[in-house]
Amino acid sequence: MAAQARDLEKRFNNVADVFSHAGDAFTSAGETLTKSVTAPLVAVGTAAIKFSSDSQDAFQQFAAATGTATDEMGKYKDMINNVYKDNFGESINDVAEAMATVNQNMSYLDDSALQRCTEYAYTLSDTFGYDVAESTRAANSLIRNFGIEANEAFNLIVQGSQNGLDFSGELLDSINEYAPQFKKMGMSADEMFSVFVNGAQNGAFNLDKIGDAVKENAIRAIDCSDTTAEGFKALGLDATETAKKFAAGGEAADEAFNQVIVGLSAMEDPIERNTAGVNLFGTMWEDLGPEVVMSL
């Protein structure tokens, strides 16, 4: 019965108006939907009244979770109803809870973006099984670290998932953990995903290790240790200047990282390359292997 009420409700353009004029609405529904509604009209009306009650509970739930003032609730009611009418969520309460989560994780969104991002998060949930809280935290990390738009952040997550990046169940966690490291290395969001894809396609056994390799190199590159200096020298790089590039971040760090990868790939003696790799990537070189690291 609840499903029938929901289907009926979705035929109306304005949910609030429907339930404030329930008698008129259901008279109209009885006249226009007789062939498609098999349940008695009074039963549908009872279910719809319950929906109205559930809606009020949902709105109160959203207001409590977000600290929204009563006089500001109108626009959020419309957005919650719109998301539900677009066939997202198991119930109106579920939509209110999801939108509250999006609002908490991405508090800078304007009203229209909040509705769109709630629907983006539902799409990720329906398609890939991602929890709304986890996907919006990951999208927020991409937005804040790389300065991209919300739709691009969600698109990158979709594309990454379609390219098999969640093969070890760590895509969203890896985005959250390593986006700051990739930013520090001067890489863009696209470049971070490219590094993930290259590593995964060349044999990395989990995504976390790929991010950790970049992080480990970033740490070692500026630690001024003898082993790091030896690693740079083995690649024909000036240790002091290369360390300065890594420390500067941005494009300089990105250039230095590429020089390291190219330098390792150009070494012909596998023993010397292995020594340099360990000096610059530590255990990540050993865990991932030369082929994976050099593919980054």
Side-chain angles (χ1 to χ4, degrees):
M1 185 63 67
Q4 289 176 330
R6 178 175 175 181
D7 290 339
L8 177 61
E9 184 273 332
K10 290 179 186 301
R11 295 174 182 266
F12 299 115
N13 293 324
N14 190 314
V15 175
D17 183 65
V18 167
F19 290 117
S20 65
H21 303 87
D24 293 339
F26 286 110
T27 299
S28 175
E31 293 172 352
T32 58
L33 303 177
T34 301
K35 294 182 179 180
S36 60
V37 179
T38 57
L41 194 58
V42 64
V44 177
T46 301
I49 291 170
K50 181 181 183 303
F51 176 83
S52 180
S53 175
D54 289 345
S55 297
Q56 292 306 314
D57 291 343
F59 301 148
Q60 292 172 4
Q61 168 188 327
F62 178 89
T66 59
T68 302
T70 303
D71 58 356
E72 298 176 347
M73 225 8 250
K75 61 183 180 182
Y76 294 111
K77 289 180 181 180
D78 291 340
M79 286 190 287
I80 291 169
N81 282 324
N82 287 339
V83 172
Y84 188 61
K85 287 196 296 181
D86 286 341
N87 288 314
F88 292 103
E90 295 296 324
S91 67
I92 194 76
N93 294 76
D94 183 59
V95 172
E97 182 179 353
M99 186 172 287
T101 299
V102 176
N103 187 65
Q104 290 162 354
N105 288 342
M106 308 172 77
S107 58
Y108 44 82
L109 296 174
D110 62 27
D111 297 342
S112 60
L114 176 59
Q115 179 178 328
R116 288 198 306 274
C117 287
T118 301
E119 295 189 351
Y120 291 156
Y122 267 121
T123 300
L124 285 173
S125 177
D126 294 342
T127 306
F128 303 107
Y130 295 149
D131 180 76
V132 169
E134 293 178 358
S135 65
T136 51
R137 277 196 295 268
N140 178 62
S141 183
L142 291 171
I143 293 166
R144 289 194 177 278
N145 281 287
F146 300 110
I148 61 177
E149 298 292 332
N151 64 330
E152 184 179 354
F154 282 101
N155 281 337
L156 283 170
I157 295 172
V158 169
Q159 292 168 8
S161 301
Q162 290 173 335
N163 281 291
L165 287 186
D166 202 35
F167 66 97
S168 57
E170 298 171 313
L171 176 57
L172 300 184
D173 287 340
S174 294
I175 291 171
N176 284 323
E177 182 174 358
Y178 297 113
Q181 299 299 328
F182 280 87
K183 176 189 177 182
K184 185 191 302 183
M185 296 289 280
M187 298 188 198
S188 67
D190 285 334
E191 288 173 324
M192 181 179 79
F193 276 82
S194 293
V195 168
F196 282 154
V197 169
N198 289 340
Q201 291 179 345
N202 283 277
F205 57 90
N206 65 37
L207 204 65
D208 179 75
K209 289 292 184 182
I210 300 172
D212 224 9
V214 174
K215 178 181 178 179
E216 184 69 17
N217 181 239
I219 293 171
R220 285 173 175 263
I222 60 174
D223 67 4
C224 299
S225 68
D226 291 339
T227 54
T228 299
E230 289 172 6
F232 287 144
K233 289 177 182 178
L235 304 183
L237 300 173
D238 182 277
T240 302
E241 290 303 314
T242 305
K244 285 181 179 179
K245 287 183 179 180
F246 275 104
E251 293 181 3
D254 191 21
E255 178 186 356
F257 181 77
N258 286 327
Q259 287 176 332
V260 167
I261 298 299
V262 171
L264 286 168
S265 301
M267 296 182 74
E268 296 182 358
D269 188 317
I271 297 176
E272 291 181 0
R273 182 171 59 198
N274 188 64
T275 301
V278 171
N279 285 341
L280 296 174
F281 288 90
T283 57
M284 292 303 103
W285 176 269
E286 298 171 339
D287 290 348
L288 290 171
E291 292 78 10
V292 174
V293 175
M294 290 188 296
S295 76
L296 304 183

